[in-house]
């Protein structure tokens, strides 16, 4: 069986997330193939409980196979982590010991041509993490105005040629709808200045930032992350910890800022305070990056709720 997804910084996550023994309740907000969750369960089973959340039903189904021996202590939730408080309230669970986020797109999603997350293989312009969602990448590309496209590419891709690329997309879609990943990649390439096109060798393929931007907009990833992290801090139990792995500066900035604000908060009515345990983000070792290149850009931040 092909590995669904290699968990990034697994040892570091487990070390920081589970700092006491004797069970506990843990939430994996980005269940994926269940790699991180499996290691959590190995340490807290049979006293502990794990709630695994993922909006991708394919990830849920794969994780059910991976975690089948722990099925009596796992609750699978097919939902967006932006609904975290409502999910846990419905389950009537309290005293959360740890909450994990491993953000971004999974290896499985990138490999699956039909999901349209990657331009490495030609596939439909989809990029939905929640397959029940109607709005997809092709909807965005063929319906957003030039101004809206520029906003997406600049805000979420930090793309300096956003205007040129947006303008070319609008011209091309007037001839024929843009429906495939390779079609979009070719449009991005031909939008670039001639001197850049001639290079043909880039540290980062010019389409990478555009695909990232579209994916973030389609799935409203940054809004969901911000909302979910604020909820996670509220509902975390005393001595509980939140671990977040991010893969680009936009995600990491949100995590860093929310953690800083939480640590600064000093309300008399609160019986706790938050303490950041990673003044600088933890990064993957060279050995891990060699085995799993996806870990290269990963940053892990950790915060703990302490009793006053």
């Amino acid at each position: 069986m092909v590995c669904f997804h290699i968990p990034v910084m697994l040892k570091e996550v487990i070390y920081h997330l589970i700092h006491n023994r004797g069970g506990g309740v843990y939430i994996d907000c980005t269940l994926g193939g269940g790699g991180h969750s499996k290691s959590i369960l190995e340490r807290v089973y049979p006293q502990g409980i794990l709630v695994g959340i993922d909006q991708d039903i394919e990830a849920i189904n794969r994780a059910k196979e991976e975690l089948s021996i722990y099925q009596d202590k796992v609750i699978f939730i097919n939902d967006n982590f932006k609904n975290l408080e409502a999910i846990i309230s419905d389950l009537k669970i309290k005293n959360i010991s740890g909450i994990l986020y491993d953000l971004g797109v999974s290896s499985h999603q990138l490999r699956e041509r039909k999901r349209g997350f990657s331009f490495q293989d030609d596939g439909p312009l989809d990029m939905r993490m929640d397959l029940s969602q109607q709005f997809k990448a092709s909807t965005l590309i063929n319906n957003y105005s030039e101004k809206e496209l520029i906003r997406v590419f600049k805000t979420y891709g930090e793309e300096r040629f956003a205007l040129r690329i947006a303008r070319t997309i609008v011209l091309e879609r007037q001839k024929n709808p843009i429906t495939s990943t390779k079609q979009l990649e070719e449009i991005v390439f031909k939008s670039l200045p001639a001197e850049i096109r001639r290079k043909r060798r880039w540290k980062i393929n010019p389409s990478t930032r555009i695909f990232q931007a579209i994916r973030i907009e389609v799935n409203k990833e940054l809004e969901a992350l911000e909302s979910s992290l604020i909820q996670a801090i509220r509902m975390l139990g005393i001595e509980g910890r939140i671990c977040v792995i991010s893969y680009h500066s936009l995600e990491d900035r949100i995590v860093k800022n929310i953690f800083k604000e939480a640590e600064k908060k000093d309300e008399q009515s609160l019986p706790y305070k938050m303490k950041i345990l990673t003044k600088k983000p933890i990064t993957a070792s060279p050995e891990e990056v060699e085995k799993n290149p996806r870990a290269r850009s990963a940053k892990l931040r950790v915060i703990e709720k302490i009793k006053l």
Side-chain angles (χ1 to χ4, degrees):
M1 184 184 290
V2 176
C3 182
F4 190 94
H5 179 71
I6 302 170
V8 170
M9 285 194 277
L10 184 58
K11 288 180 182 176
E12 293 86 344
V13 164
I14 298 302
Y15 174 80
H16 285 91
L17 192 68
I18 306 174
H19 63 290
N20 53 25
R21 297 288 173 182
V25 178
Y26 290 86
I27 305 172
D28 187 343
C29 288
T30 46
L31 183 61
H36 284 112
S37 285
K38 188 174 184 180
S39 286
I40 292 168
L41 284 160
E42 283 171 357
R43 285 154 182 79
V44 304
Y45 190 84
Q47 296 94 344
I49 294 172
L50 182 125
V51 179
I53 302 170
D54 207 296
Q55 59 183 322
D56 187 342
I57 190 61
E58 291 183 355
I60 292 281
N61 292 335
R62 177 65 184 88
K64 282 180 178 178
E65 294 176 25
E66 185 69 19
L67 306 176
S68 59
I69 61 171
Y70 304 108
Q71 61 185 335
D72 58 322
K73 293 294 182 177
V74 185
I75 302 168
F76 296 98
I77 304 290
N78 181 206
D79 202 343
N80 191 310
F81 60 51
K82 70 182 180 184
N83 302 316
L84 185 59
E85 275 183 317
I87 291 166
I88 300 307
S89 176
D90 287 347
L91 294 173
K92 296 180 169 53
I93 290 175
K94 295 181 179 177
N95 300 319
I96 308 300
S97 307
I99 303 174
L100 170 65
Y101 296 81
D102 180 10
L103 303 170
V105 62
S106 74
S107 305
H108 167 75
Q109 288 166 333
L110 286 170
R111 275 197 310 267
E112 283 290 316
R113 186 180 303 185
K114 65 181 181 182
R115 302 298 296 272
F117 283 103
S118 172
F119 51 83
Q120 300 301 326
D121 294 302
D122 197 16
L125 265 179
D126 194 316
M127 301 194 205
R128 293 171 299 163
M129 290 184 175
D130 176 0
L131 291 171
S132 68
Q133 175 182 303
Q134 295 300 308
F135 184 69
K136 57 179 78 172
S138 59
T139 315
L140 183 157
I141 287 296
N142 289 291
N143 292 279
Y144 270 27
S145 68
E146 182 181 300
K147 187 176 179 180
E148 287 175 313
L149 289 172
I150 292 168
R151 171 189 64 80
V152 171
F153 299 158
K154 276 189 172 179
T155 306
Y156 301 139
E158 299 174 309
E159 174 55 62
R160 62 179 172 143
F161 299 117
L163 189 150
R164 297 177 69 117
I165 295 168
R167 190 155 290 170
T168 308
I169 286 170
V170 171
L171 290 171
E172 289 295 323
R173 75 190 188 192
Q174 288 171 357
K175 304 172 193 172
N176 289 297
I178 302 164
T179 57
S180 79
T181 55
K182 281 294 181 187
Q183 196 181 355
L184 179 58
E185 185 197 18
E186 287 167 10
I187 290 169
V188 170
F189 178 73
K190 80 184 214 177
S191 306
L192 301 173
E195 64 271 19
I196 292 178
R197 291 203 308 272
R198 279 196 295 269
K199 282 183 183 176
R200 284 279 183 176
R201 282 178 151 189
W202 307 285
K203 195 172 181 181
I204 299 174
N205 188 304
S207 291
T208 303
R209 290 186 292 271
I210 297 301
F211 272 65
Q212 172 186 293
I214 296 167
R215 193 198 79 221
I216 290 172
E217 175 76 2
V218 166
N219 298 288
K220 302 297 179 192
E221 292 177 30
L222 301 187
E223 295 95 323
L225 172 60
E226 188 168 353
S227 172
S228 187
L229 273 180
I230 291 167
Q231 294 173 57
I233 288 167
R234 278 200 299 262
M235 63 194 293
L236 191 67
I238 300 297
E239 295 186 352
R241 293 181 176 182
I242 300 171
C243 292
V244 186
I245 304 172
S246 61
Y247 294 88
H248 56 75
S249 60
L250 299 173
E251 291 172 339
D252 185 56
R253 197 176 304 135
I254 288 172
V255 178
K256 181 174 71 174
N257 290 341
I258 288 177
F259 280 9
K260 276 186 175 180
E261 283 301 310
E263 189 177 53
K264 280 194 297 185
K265 209 172 224 180
D266 187 19
E267 294 182 16
Q268 299 290 331
S269 59
L270 296 177
Y272 66 85
K273 76 177 271 91
M274 303 302 296
K275 181 182 179 184
I276 295 172
L277 303 183
T278 48
K279 294 303 176 186
K280 288 186 177 179
I282 298 165
T283 55
S285 67
E287 293 77 19
E288 180 175 3
V289 171
E290 189 176 347
K291 291 177 185 174
N292 181 14
R294 182 174 180 266
R296 184 181 294 109
S297 59
K299 291 181 178 179
L300 169 64
R301 293 186 186 270
V302 186
I303 196 167
E304 181 177 12
K305 182 177 281 189
I306 57 176
K307 190 173 183 179
L308 287 176

